[in-house]
Amino acid sequence: MTLRYRALEPVNLEFSIFNRQGALVRSISRSHPLGGVDTAIVWDGRDGNGQVVVDGEYRINVVGFDFFVTVDNSAPIINALKTKSPFSLCKSGPCRSTELRWSVSDINFDAVQIEVGEGNIPATWRPYQRAYKLANNLIGQSAIFLLLADYVGKRYRITVMDLAGNRTIAQFEPAQEAVKLILAGQIM
């Protein structure tokens, strides 16, 4: 977290960071021997002992002014990934597509990106569709339909991002489809 400010005259400043319960978490001191300086402090989300603080709202106080920040170190959660089997039955007969379905959640949810890679263990990934944001900031679920030509020989993965820059990545398991051939012949 970066807090930018301007020191108008020579000043020594003490930035005090408090948790939601009002306990002092960390202090950052800055000395400005000259005025008219544009500067900033950076708080790395750690307490005075160097430990990462718990997620939540924090108050930064300097010379009687309060600034509020939200710390979010938690990665988004992918609740479910599901790959619908190709050639499953649709209303009008066998489907010639497959479906990738997912459900994700995060208190500061930002966006989802679906990516595709060639082969069973892709060396590189490329976006399959543009990243998009879901309307609900807490939980999102959706699905995409793939033609078999877009599915065979490829792997898909989902990247879920939150507003703090945390991300979670998971691959969709390939759908398994057993193919049975029945040969009929004549015996003469």
Side-chain angles (χ1 to χ4, degrees), residues 161-180:
M161 298 149 284
D162 68 14
L163 295 171
N166 302 309
R167 56 184 62 225
T168 301
I169 300 172
Q171 284 189 31
F172 289 92
E173 289 300 318
Q176 300 297 318
E177 186 69 32
V179 177
K180 297 178 184 176

Side-chain angles (χ1 to χ4, degrees), residues 84 87-96:
K84 188 175 180 182
F87 300 112
S88 56
L89 291 178
C90 292
K91 291 179 184 177
S92 61
C95 288
R96 301 287 189 265

